[in-house]
C-alpha cells in the first residue's frame, strides 16, 4: 500500500502537500513531489511497496529512456517476471513502476491489456497530458475531484477533500485521459462460464496450483512477513502454503509468525491454535473485549472510508491484529481475504 496525489491544471504545491499530509501513513519510508507547469505529482511508499532501497531514484519514478515520463502507482503485479522478461526490465527497486512506464511507452493506453494479473491505481504523465487507471475489481483505491478546470486525484477520499468538495470514486476497470473522460477497459463476464465436466480431483489440483502460483509470485519474505490466521478455510490454506515456503527458504526449523484475534476464548481462537500447531508456526494471540472493538470504530472508519456494516465489522478485527503484528516487527501480513468471494463461501 502506497499513497499518491496528482493535480492537473491550475497546480498548487500547497494543495498537494495538504493531500499527502492526510495520507502520510500510507508511506513514511520514501516520498517525493514533482512540480511542472500543468501537473504536480506526489508519491509515498512503505518498504513493502518495493522501495527497500531507492538507490537515489527520484520519486515519483521516471522512465530511464524518457525522463519527462513519470508514474504515481499503488499496486502489485503477479505477472511481473513474465512481462519483465519479455520487455527487458531488470529486477531492483521500483521494478513495477519501471515496467509500467515501458509498457506505456510501447502500447499507450493498450498497456492495460497486459495487466492480467495485477491490482493497481496509477497515474502516468509526460508533464503535459495524464493517463489514470484503476484495476478491474477496484482492489486499489482511487478518487478524483474537480475545482473549476483543475483535476485532483488521490488514493483516499479524505485527500481529495483537502482541495475540493466535488469528489467521486474512480470507477474500477476504467481509465481517464487528460480531459477527465472515463473509458471502460475491462469488465467481468456477464454470463456464467461454460460448464466443465472435470473430476473433483482435477478441480482440486487446479485450485491448489493457482493459489500456490499466486502466493509464490508475490511473496519473497525479503521483509518480515506474517500471516493472519482465523482458523477458517481461507486463512488456513494461505498460512499452510506460506509456512511451507518459509521453511523452504530459511530451513525446516524456521517458523512463520501467525496472528489470531478473538473476543474471549472464541471458536476462531481455538481453530487457529490447531492450524498453527499443524503448520508449526510461531503463533500469537490477541484477546480483546467488546469495549475495545467499539472504541476502535471511529479510527477504523476514518481509515476505511466506509460505513458498510460487514466491511467495518471485519476491518475492526483486522485493524487491531495488524497493529499488534506491527508491534512484533511485521511489515507484510498475509490473509485469506477474497477466498469466500471467489469460492462462493457466503450464503448471500
Amino acid at each position: 500500500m502506497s499513497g499518491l496525489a496528482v493535480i492537473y491544471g491550475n497546480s498548487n504545491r500547497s494543495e498537494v502537500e495538504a493531500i499527502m499530509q492526510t495520507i502520510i501513513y500510507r508511506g513514511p519510508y520514501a516520498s517525493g513531489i514533482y512540480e511542472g507547469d500543468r501537473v504536480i505529482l506526489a508519491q509515498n511508499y512503505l518498504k513493502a511497496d518495493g522501495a527497500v532501497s531507492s538507490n537515489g531514484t527520484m520519486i515519483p519514478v521516471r522512465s530511464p529512456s524518457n525522463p519527462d515520463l513519470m508514474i504515481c502507482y499503488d499496486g502489485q503485479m503477479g505477472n511481473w517476471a513474465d512481462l519483465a522478461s519479455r520487455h527487458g526490465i531488470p529486477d531492483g527497486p521500483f521494478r513495477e513502476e519501471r515496467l509500467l512506464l515501458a509498457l506505456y511507452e510501447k502500447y499507450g493506453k493498450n498497456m492495460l491489456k497486459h495487466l492480467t494479473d495485477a491490482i493497481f491505481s496509477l497515474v502516468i504523465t509526460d508533464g503535459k497530458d495524464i493517463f489514470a487507471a484503476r484495476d478491474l475489481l477496484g482492489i486499489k483505491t482511487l478518487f478524483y475531484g474537480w475545482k473549476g478546470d483543475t483535476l485532483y486525484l488521490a488514493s483516499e477520499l479524505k485527500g481529495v477533500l483537502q482541495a475540493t468538495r466535488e469528489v467521486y470514486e474512480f470507477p474500477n476497470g476504467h481509465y481517464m485521459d487528460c480531459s477527465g473522460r472515463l473509458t471502460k477497459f475491462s469488465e467481468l463476464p456477464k454470463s456464467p462460464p461454460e460448464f466443465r465436466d472435470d473430476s473433483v480431483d482435477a478441480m482440486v489440483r487446479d485450485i491448489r496450483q493457482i493459489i500456490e502460483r499466486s502466493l509464490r509470485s508475490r511473496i519473497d519474505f525479503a521483509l518480515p512477513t506474517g500471516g493472519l490466521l482465523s482458523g477458517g478455510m481461507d486463512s488456513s490454506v494461505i498460512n499452510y502454503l506460506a509456512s511451507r515456503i518459509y521453511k523452504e527458504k530459511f530451513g525446516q526449523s524456521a517458523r512463520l509468525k501467525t496472528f489470531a484475534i478473538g473476543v474471549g476464548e472464541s471458536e476462531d481462537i481455538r481453530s487457529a491454535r490447531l492450524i498453527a500447531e499443524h503448520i508449526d508456526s510461531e503463533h500469537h494471540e490477541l484477546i480483546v473485549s467488546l469495549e475495545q472493538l467499539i472504541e476502535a470504530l471511529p479510527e477504523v472508519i476514518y481509515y476505511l472510508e466506509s460505513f458498510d456494516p460487514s466491511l467495518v465489522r471485519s476491518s475492526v478485527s483486522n485493524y487491531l491484529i495488524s497493529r499488534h503484528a506491527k508491534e512484533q516487527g511485521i511489515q507484510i501480513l498475509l490473509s485469506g481475504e477474497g477466498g469466500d468471494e471467489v469460492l462462493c463461501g457466503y450464503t448471500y
Side-chain angles (χ1 to χ4, degrees):
M1 178 187 75
S2 57
L4 63 88
V6 176
I7 302 176
Y8 181 74
N10 185 20
S11 56
N12 185 308
R13 187 181 179 96
S14 63
E15 285 185 322
V16 84
E17 288 175 344
I19 294 172
M20 292 305 290
Q21 187 60 38
T22 65
I23 57 173
I24 192 170
Y25 49 83
R26 294 181 72 96
Y29 177 70
S31 63
I33 296 176
Y34 165 82
E35 188 172 4
D37 293 333
R38 286 190 52 77
V39 62
I40 296 182
L41 289 83
Q43 174 90 53
N44 61 11
Y45 287 101
L46 296 168
K47 282 188 177 182
D49 295 314
V52 177
S53 172
S54 62
N55 289 336
T57 302
M58 295 183 69
I59 300 174
V61 178
R62 302 190 181 198
S63 166
S65 59
N66 180 4
D68 291 330
L69 195 66
M70 60 198 77
I71 184 172
C72 285
Y73 168 69
D74 178 24
Q76 188 180 56
M77 299 177 67
N79 60 339
W80 179 87
D82 177 54
L83 287 173
S85 175
R86 283 193 273 142
H87 293 86
I89 306 300
D91 201 353
F94 307 107
R95 65 183 195 178
E96 294 185 7
E97 287 86 340
R98 289 184 282 108
L99 172 59
L100 291 166
L101 287 169
L103 291 174
Y104 184 77
E105 285 185 272
K106 186 171 183 178
Y107 301 109
K109 65 185 180 182
N110 291 324
M111 67 174 287
L112 299 170
K113 295 179 181 179
H114 299 267
L115 307 184
T116 55
D117 188 11
I119 57 175
F120 57 87
S121 60
L122 59 84
V123 181
I124 296 175
T125 183
D126 60 1
K128 300 175 183 177
D129 297 322
I130 65 166
F131 173 77
R134 188 180 181 201
D135 65 75
L136 170 61
L137 295 180
I139 300 298
K140 288 298 183 178
T141 56
L142 188 60
F143 296 86
Y144 71 99
W146 293 93
K147 187 164 67 177
D149 294 331
T150 301
L151 173 65
Y152 299 83
L153 297 117
S155 298
E156 296 189 13
L157 173 66
K158 66 179 72 70
V160 182
L161 284 173
Q162 299 303 308
T164 177
R165 310 304 290 183
E166 185 185 348
V167 184
Y168 308 92
E169 182 177 6
F170 198 104
N172 51 294
H174 283 68
Y175 68 81
M176 177 186 284
D177 60 23
C178 57
S179 72
R181 183 176 63 249
L182 287 159
T183 303
K184 183 183 293 185
F185 68 84
S186 186
E187 61 182 337
L188 293 172
K190 296 188 183 308
S191 58
E194 293 183 7
F195 179 77
R196 291 181 57 180
D197 191 21
D198 293 350
S199 69
V200 172
D201 287 344
M203 289 188 284
V204 168
R205 183 183 63 249
D206 287 349
I207 292 171
R208 184 190 300 270
Q209 290 175 349
I210 289 169
I211 295 173
E212 183 162 359
R213 182 173 66 247
S214 179
L215 188 61
R216 287 184 181 274
S217 68
R218 287 166 170 81
I219 304 299
D220 60 7
F221 299 104
L223 294 170
T225 303
L228 297 179
L229 181 58
S230 70
M233 180 68 74
D234 307 330
S235 66
S236 297
V237 166
I238 296 300
N239 281 281
Y240 164 77
L241 288 171
S243 178
R244 197 177 73 188
I245 298 169
Y246 193 81
K247 289 178 181 294
E248 287 176 10
K249 185 176 180 69
F250 299 109
Q252 290 305 303
S253 62
R255 303 171 73 203
L256 177 75
K257 287 186 177 181
T258 54
F259 299 86
I261 183 172
V263 180
E265 187 75 2
S266 65
E267 186 63 34
D268 281 358
I269 285 288
R270 290 191 289 270
S271 297
R273 285 176 193 158
L274 288 174
I275 296 297
E277 182 178 359
H278 178 68
I279 67 175
D280 186 35
S281 66
E282 181 187 318
H283 193 53
H284 300 259
E285 294 179 354
L286 179 63
I287 307 301
V288 297
S289 65
L290 180 59
E291 289 72 22
Q292 286 175 292
L293 295 176
I294 294 173
E295 184 181 350
L297 277 173
E299 195 166 8
V300 169
I301 291 170
Y302 173 80
Y303 291 121
L304 187 62
E305 299 191 325
S306 172
F307 290 104
D308 181 84
S310 60
L311 188 58
V312 171
R313 177 181 176 275
S314 61
S315 296
V316 172
S317 298
N318 282 344
Y319 173 77
L320 292 174
I321 193 62
S322 297
R323 186 173 65 183
H324 180 68
K326 182 182 179 181
E327 292 168 356
Q328 309 299 315
I330 296 297
Q331 295 190 37
I332 297 175
L333 268 175
L334 308 176
S335 79
E337 298 289 337
D340 281 317
E341 289 78 3
V342 171
L343 296 174
C344 305
Y346 294 122
T347 57
Y348 53 87

